[in-house]
Amino acid sequence: ISSYAQNKDFELSDVKGFVTDFEKVQEFLRVQLINKEFNSEKLQHTPHRDFENTDLTAVLRIHLPTQEYGAATILVSDALYSYWNKSMEELYPLALHNTMEANPAKISSMLEFVKNMFSDNCIGEDIKNFQMEPYEQYVLSNSTSVGGATVLLYPEVMEHLAQGAGANFFILPSSIHESILLDTGEMDAKELQAMVMSVNQTNVSPEERLSDDVYYYDREEHCLSMATGREATQELKEQLRQAGDNSMERPEELER
């Protein structure tokens, strides 16, 4: 199958027969981290595995290499899932392993990340033994910088980073492609969440938003969780909505 993937495009007539054959397709399975609320309708017909203590869930995708487009992906739906006669308990570890092998986790300082945005340099360093400095911001992604928020699912990534930092830290879901890490210091979770929500509404396209929430990693509890409750989130959403309404009214007031 490797030579097939390297030397032949997947034509439309080939796809159904290929993706329904689990023996052929299994090495192309990947996981993708998405938001449960943002994708609630899609998830009604899609097998998924919830990311404990968060508003996130993992779905499965098939990555099909093509000569013309680089890669095409197919979301694993309930209909496709039924062809394989496999459980999510069997598929998820396999897909996660494939994802980690193909796209290892990388981290870089915010300064290095911004510098490399305008170059062809590889972004980031390996997670293991990486030293996070106090009061610095870091960008966590994968080796391709595409779909990099999924590295939050990788076992031991948070643990390695917490050990290197010697501290707990916040995780800001910048987009489906990366997350921003910073130590708790004197930062307030609600202020950070308000910033995330504002950036999501103004600078991130809806299809690339990961979450309006902020997460917190506790190195003693070895646990990732949401930094604020649902009630606080709704309050912040209402405040931002009202602020948007007020900004739209101001030009009319000036005209009067």
Side-chain angles (χ1 to χ4, degrees):
I1 187 66
S2 296
S3 60
Y4 179 82
Q6 291 168 5
N7 298 312
K8 176 176 174 142
D9 283 346
F10 284 90
E11 299 172 357
L12 185 61
S13 59
D14 302 319
V15 171
K16 183 176 180 181
F18 178 78
V19 300
T20 54
D21 187 332
F22 183 75
E23 293 303 314
K24 291 181 178 179
V25 82
Q26 59 180 324
E27 69 178 277
F28 296 100
L29 280 177
R30 303 287 189 270
V31 294
Q32 180 188 18
L33 190 65
I34 63 173
N35 188 280
K36 287 187 285 189
E37 182 180 349
F38 297 170
N39 297 277
S40 58
E41 185 173 345
K42 179 193 299 182
L43 290 173
Q44 293 178 20
H45 312 288
T46 306
H48 55 281
R49 175 171 170 166
D50 290 347
F51 193 5
E52 192 175 2
N53 300 320
T54 74
D55 58 340
L56 306 174
T57 193
V59 295
L60 305 179
R61 283 190 172 274
I62 303 168
H63 280 233
L64 302 178
T66 67
Q67 293 177 356
E68 184 175 357
Y69 301 108
T73 69
I74 298 174
L75 179 67
V76 176
S77 64
D78 286 341
L80 182 55
Y81 185 68
S82 65
Y83 274 102
W84 298 338
N85 194 29
K86 301 286 184 179
S87 68
M88 195 63 168
E89 287 70 26
E90 294 174 279
L91 295 176
Y92 179 81
L94 171 62
L96 182 59
H97 172 78
N98 291 347
T99 308
M100 293 169 63
E101 288 288 311
N103 303 308
K106 298 290 183 179
I107 190 169
S108 61
S109 69
M110 180 63 76
L111 179 61
E112 288 299 316
F113 178 81
V114 172
K115 284 181 181 178
N116 288 326
M117 284 177 65
F118 306 101
S119 72
D120 295 327
N121 296 336
C122 288
I123 296 175
E125 300 178 40
D126 290 336
I127 298 296
K128 198 169 184 179
N129 301 322
F130 184 83
Q131 298 294 315
M132 292 173 60
E133 299 295 332
Y135 309 110
E136 293 291 332
Q137 295 184 26
Y138 295 90
V139 178
L140 179 66
S141 187
N142 62 22
S143 55
T144 66
S145 299
V146 176
T150 296
V151 303
L152 294 175
L153 295 170
Y154 294 6
E156 300 182 354
V157 163
M158 295 294 103
E159 185 68 18
H160 284 313
L161 292 174
Q163 287 177 356
N168 302 331
F169 51 84
F170 287 121
I171 302 161
L172 281 60
S174 176
S175 73
I176 61 172
H177 303 301
E178 69 276 320
S179 303
I180 297 173
L181 276 56
L182 64 163
D183 66 40
T184 52
E186 297 179 356
M187 302 299 293
D188 179 78
K190 288 185 68 174
E191 291 177 359
L192 291 173
Q193 187 174 7
M195 181 177 68
V196 168
M197 288 182 175
S198 178
V199 171
N200 274 346
Q201 291 185 9
T202 57
N203 296 336
V204 184
S205 60
E207 63 271 15
E208 295 198 336
R209 293 175 191 169
L210 182 62
S211 178
D212 281 331
D213 285 287
V214 170
Y215 309 105
Y216 174 79
Y217 187 78
D218 189 313
R219 65 191 180 103
E220 294 181 356
E221 297 293 332
H222 310 285
C223 179
L224 179 71
S225 61
M226 296 165 70
T228 61
R230 303 309 304 165
E231 186 175 328
T233 299
Q234 292 304 319
E235 288 178 1
L236 286 170
K237 285 183 178 179
E238 181 62 22
Q239 290 172 11
L240 286 172
R241 187 191 65 78
Q242 291 178 358
D245 291 344
N246 290 338
S247 66
M248 293 177 65
E249 293 172 2
R250 283 174 193 145
E252 298 178 5
E253 292 172 357
L254 289 174
E255 289 175 5
R256 294 173 189 167

